[in-house]
Amino acid sequence: AREQERTVGGLADGSVDPTFTASAEPQNIVGLALQPDGQIVVYGLQISTALPAGKRYVYRLKEDGSLDASYAPIFRTSSEVTAPTCLVVQPDGRAIFGGPFVSVDGQATLGLVRLTSAGALDATFTVSGASYVGPTALAWQPDGRLLVGGSFTIPGITSPSLVRFNDTGAVESVLLQWPAVHGATRRILPLADGRIWAAAREPNTSFSQATMVRLTSAGVVERTATTWVTGIEWGFAAIDADRLLVTAKPENATGIVRLGSDGNPDGIVANVETLAGVQSLVPSAGGKLYITGAFTRVNGTPQAGFTRLNSDGSLDAAFSAGTGFNVPPAHLVVLADGRLMASGSFSSYRSIPARTTIRLLADGNLDPSFTAETLDNGFGASGRPVQLADGRVFLGAAVCFLA
């Protein structure tokens, strides 16, 4: 069976927003980004079989959820229609995509393009200074420059990992390369003051080495730390401009390591007992941290795959998930008022039926004022929540299964 996904809009009480009726397209959403005008650019997961005729991987939904048929770019490899792997929207609404494509709408490109508001290739953005671009991460700096993590071929540079491009697509500077880091940059976190946290990791293995680097706005390395991380399930979160938390494999035990202001590990924040480790790290106010995963114990205390830690790594006694989720949530978003939105394929929380999207109070209890409406086909919404300024929530939602 193939999972079909769409985007839905939700009101603050969890009901489906009647002003937002999402199109049946697109399918298998894995990434979305909001444009300043309220429209939503989404892209889907590459499927293993040939894409059916008339289908594509990139769509745009209008603010009311209807499909914008005019926004219809087709990304292709040399042999088939393909999907981008990363997306960032500029403040002016233009969208930048990275991925394994070699053409868009029949026009040859490298793997990094910008689309106009109409969904066409932006002729003012053409990659130059690199003969190959294989993006794994994109981020937009406050000063309007583009950061791209991945694999690149740039004359005179050995294994570039993080590159900054200017507004026309020209390589402006190589910020990270071998031997400073090993592998592609897979996490980029621009800071408000122009500095950058970046993390590179070797290709997926059971355990692999990751290098975290903080750079100045000019690209000078200020901090570097290397640690072993747990395969695919790799978390990375900033405590502040100086410190990071990383899901790591310290001394043959999976846990969360804090990297100090000097760039070196300054201790294990929390021991998490299971090789599956932590799937996500979500910072919250006061230096606290939500963690989710397949773990059953944290710091020797039973925890059902979901808990909140204090800034020192101890369990937060003011938060209790009880028996937790029957399936770990795929997405967590801390809302502006301190409550927490969780979504995923779970069907219960604390042994209480709770279908795919819930809101929690700050103490871990279910928020009784929020009941996610079941969609018209009987399925709930399980995509990544994105909160708007007015309190509404957008979800890329799994809504049905097709044979």
Side-chain angles (χ1 to χ4, degrees):
R2 177 165 58 86
E3 184 178 0
Q4 175 179 321
E5 299 195 1
R6 76 181 184 193
T7 304
V8 299
L11 299 177
D13 64 357
S15 60
V16 173
D17 185 348
T19 68
F20 185 93
T21 304
S23 166
E25 301 289 353
Q27 300 176 0
N28 300 315
I29 292 172
V30 293
L32 61 83
L34 295 174
Q35 293 184 310
D37 61 3
Q39 297 191 99
I40 310 165
V41 179
V42 301
Y43 66 92
L45 177 69
Q46 180 83 37
I47 59 176
S48 58
T49 58
L51 196 65
K55 303 292 185 180
R56 61 184 187 275
Y57 286 109
V58 176
Y59 293 81
R60 185 169 66 192
L61 302 179
K62 298 178 183 179
E63 194 171 9
D64 64 359
S66 62
L67 185 67
D68 181 355
S70 68
Y71 195 95
I74 302 294
F75 293 73
R76 295 188 63 91
T77 66
S78 58
S79 60
E80 63 180 354
V81 177
T82 192
T85 55
C86 44
L87 161 68
V88 65
V89 170
Q90 296 183 183
D92 63 7
R94 289 180 292 178
I96 297 176
F97 293 89
F101 48 85
V102 297
S103 70
V104 178
D105 294 336
Q107 299 182 58
T109 68
L110 293 178
L112 183 68
V113 297
R114 185 168 66 197
L115 301 187
T116 67
S117 59
L121 271 178
D122 184 348
T124 67
F125 184 94
T126 302
V127 172
S128 60
S131 60
Y132 170 78
V133 180
T136 53
L138 300 174
W140 193 253
Q141 286 192 274
D143 62 6
R145 291 179 292 181
L146 177 68
L147 300 173
V148 183
S151 301
F152 309 84
T153 300
I154 297 175
I157 305 296
T158 302
S159 300
S161 178
L162 178 65
V163 177
R164 183 157 54 200
F165 290 78
N166 67 20
D167 190 56
T168 66
V171 171
E172 182 178 285
S173 56
V174 175
L175 303 180
L176 290 174
Q177 67 181 96
W178 186 89
V181 295
H182 298 268
T185 293
R186 300 170 186 270
R187 303 283 192 276
I188 307 173
L189 180 62
L191 301 176
D193 62 5
R195 290 182 294 174
I196 306 159
W197 273 113
R201 182 168 63 80
E202 295 172 342
N204 292 340
T205 58
S206 295
F207 295 104
S208 56
Q209 192 176 70
T211 303
M212 278 62 65
V213 178
R214 195 183 73 197
L215 305 104
T216 67
S217 59
V220 177
V221 173
E222 291 184 320
R223 303 279 187 269
T224 300
T226 300
T227 189
W228 291 95
V229 297
T230 55
I232 297 173
E233 294 165 336
W234 176 41
F236 171 89
I239 304 174
D240 50 39
D242 292 320
R243 297 177 298 165
L244 287 176
L245 294 168
V246 180
T247 303
K249 178 181 176 286
E251 300 177 359
N252 299 315
T254 300
I256 300 172
V257 170
R258 182 175 57 226
L259 305 179
S261 59
D262 62 356
N264 294 314
D266 68 359
I268 298 172
V269 173
N271 281 305
V272 182
E273 298 176 20
T274 176
L275 289 178
V278 177
Q279 294 175 343
S280 60
L281 304 171
V282 181
S284 186
K288 297 186 178 185
L289 184 76
Y290 289 100
I291 62 174
T292 68
F295 53 84
T296 55
R297 298 175 72 86
V298 176
N299 297 336
T301 301
Q303 298 291 318
F306 175 47
T307 193
R308 188 171 69 200
L309 305 176
N310 294 313
S311 59
D312 63 359
S314 62
L315 289 168
D316 185 352
F319 180 89
S320 174
T323 56
F325 296 90
N326 63 317
V327 176
H331 308 293
L332 293 177
V333 174
V334 179
L335 303 179
D337 61 6
R339 290 179 293 182
L340 184 73
M341 186 78 75
S343 65
S345 58
F346 54 83
S347 59
S348 68
Y349 174 71
R350 285 185 156 191
S351 301
I352 300 169
R355 197 177 191 86
T356 71
T357 303
I358 62 174
R359 190 168 65 199
L360 303 180
L361 302 175
D363 62 2
N365 282 306
L366 280 168
D367 183 348
S369 68
F370 181 94
T371 302
E373 184 173 329
T374 300
L375 303 180
D376 54 13
N377 61 352
F379 284 81
S382 63
R384 181 181 299 278
V386 178
Q387 188 178 33
L388 302 183
D390 62 6
R392 290 182 301 164
V393 175
F394 282 115
L395 294 166
V399 297
C400 67
F401 286 84
L402 302 178

